[in-house]
mmCIF file of all heavy atoms in Angstrom:
data_model
loop_
_atom_site.group_PDB
_atom_site.id
_atom_site.type_symbol
_atom_site.label_atom_id
_atom_site.label_comp_id
_atom_site.label_asym_id
_atom_site.label_seq_id
_atom_site.Cartn_x
_atom_site.Cartn_y
_atom_site.Cartn_z
ATOM 1 N N MET A 1 126.793 30.089 12.160
ATOM 2 C CA MET A 1 127.193 28.761 12.501
ATOM 3 C C MET A 1 126.202 27.757 11.758
ATOM 4 O O MET A 1 125.040 28.042 11.726
ATOM 5 C CB MET A 1 127.072 28.504 14.026
ATOM 6 C CG MET A 1 127.371 27.086 14.352
ATOM 7 S SD MET A 1 127.475 26.565 16.150
ATOM 8 C CE MET A 1 126.137 27.472 16.824
ATOM 9 N N LEU A 6 122.564 16.610 14.131
ATOM 10 C CA LEU A 6 121.693 15.990 15.087
ATOM 11 C C LEU A 6 120.408 16.827 15.328
ATOM 12 O O LEU A 6 119.314 16.294 15.412
ATOM 13 C CB LEU A 6 122.449 15.786 16.498
ATOM 14 C CG LEU A 6 123.330 14.577 16.569
ATOM 15 C CD1 LEU A 6 123.990 14.510 17.946
ATOM 16 C CD2 LEU A 6 122.660 13.230 16.225
ATOM 17 N N LEU A 9 118.037 16.319 12.503
ATOM 18 C CA LEU A 9 117.278 15.122 12.779
ATOM 19 C C LEU A 9 116.150 15.315 13.739
ATOM 20 O O LEU A 9 114.965 14.829 13.580
ATOM 21 C CB LEU A 9 118.143 13.974 13.113
ATOM 22 C CG LEU A 9 119.166 13.508 12.144
ATOM 23 C CD1 LEU A 9 120.050 12.406 12.749
ATOM 24 C CD2 LEU A 9 118.597 13.083 10.824
ATOM 25 N N TYR A 17 106.006 14.688 13.969
ATOM 26 C CA TYR A 17 105.241 14.086 15.073
ATOM 27 C C TYR A 17 104.620 15.075 16.019
ATOM 28 O O TYR A 17 103.872 14.739 16.878
ATOM 29 C CB TYR A 17 106.067 13.002 15.830
ATOM 30 C CG TYR A 17 106.355 11.857 14.995
ATOM 31 C CD1 TYR A 17 107.586 11.733 14.391
ATOM 32 C CD2 TYR A 17 105.462 10.843 14.776
ATOM 33 C CE1 TYR A 17 107.952 10.673 13.637
ATOM 34 C CE2 TYR A 17 105.837 9.713 13.980
ATOM 35 C CZ TYR A 17 107.007 9.645 13.434
ATOM 36 O OH TYR A 17 107.326 8.634 12.594
ATOM 37 N N TYR A 36 119.090 22.628 23.900
ATOM 38 C CA TYR A 36 119.287 24.022 23.513
ATOM 39 C C TYR A 36 120.704 24.387 23.247
ATOM 40 O O TYR A 36 120.939 25.100 22.293
ATOM 41 C CB TYR A 36 118.689 24.928 24.753
ATOM 42 C CG TYR A 36 118.986 26.307 24.611
ATOM 43 C CD1 TYR A 36 118.149 27.092 23.786
ATOM 44 C CD2 TYR A 36 120.045 27.018 25.222
ATOM 45 C CE1 TYR A 36 118.477 28.496 23.547
ATOM 46 C CE2 TYR A 36 120.323 28.319 25.067
ATOM 47 C CZ TYR A 36 119.519 29.069 24.201
ATOM 48 O OH TYR A 36 119.799 30.446 24.040
ATOM 49 N N TRP A 38 123.012 22.391 22.155
ATOM 50 C CA TRP A 38 123.400 21.777 20.856
ATOM 51 C C TRP A 38 122.879 22.722 19.775
ATOM 52 O O TRP A 38 123.531 22.868 18.761
ATOM 53 C CB TRP A 38 122.689 20.387 20.677
ATOM 54 C CG TRP A 38 123.291 19.315 21.500
ATOM 55 C CD1 TRP A 38 124.366 19.379 22.307
ATOM 56 C CD2 TRP A 38 122.822 17.926 21.506
ATOM 57 N NE1 TRP A 38 124.586 18.160 22.938
ATOM 58 C CE2 TRP A 38 123.573 17.277 22.420
ATOM 59 C CE3 TRP A 38 121.734 17.312 20.940
ATOM 60 C CZ2 TRP A 38 123.434 15.933 22.706
ATOM 61 C CZ3 TRP A 38 121.577 16.021 21.245
ATOM 62 C CH2 TRP A 38 122.330 15.311 22.088
ATOM 63 N N MET A 55 118.347 8.460 20.967
ATOM 64 C CA MET A 55 117.948 9.340 19.908
ATOM 65 C C MET A 55 117.511 8.481 18.709
ATOM 66 O O MET A 55 116.448 8.710 18.134
ATOM 67 C CB MET A 55 119.077 10.230 19.427
ATOM 68 C CG MET A 55 119.432 11.288 20.373
ATOM 69 S SD MET A 55 120.727 12.342 19.804
ATOM 70 C CE MET A 55 119.801 13.257 18.561
ATOM 71 N N PRO A 62 117.915 4.502 12.030
ATOM 72 C CA PRO A 62 118.968 3.477 12.345
ATOM 73 C C PRO A 62 120.060 4.152 13.255
ATOM 74 O O PRO A 62 120.378 5.362 13.050
ATOM 75 C CB PRO A 62 119.524 3.127 10.959
ATOM 76 C CG PRO A 62 118.545 3.638 9.951
ATOM 77 C CD PRO A 62 117.781 4.745 10.625
ATOM 78 N N ASP A 78 134.094 14.201 7.634
ATOM 79 C CA ASP A 78 133.789 15.400 6.854
ATOM 80 C C ASP A 78 133.085 14.932 5.510
ATOM 81 O O ASP A 78 132.789 13.747 5.434
ATOM 82 C CB ASP A 78 135.037 16.229 6.643
ATOM 83 C CG ASP A 78 136.112 15.526 5.867
ATOM 84 O OD1 ASP A 78 135.785 14.634 5.126
ATOM 85 O OD2 ASP A 78 137.267 15.857 6.037
#
Side-chain angles (χ1 to χ4, degrees):
M1 174 174 45
L6 283 179
L9 295 176
Y17 294 97
Y36 172 78
W38 288 357
M55 289 182 73
D78 61 28

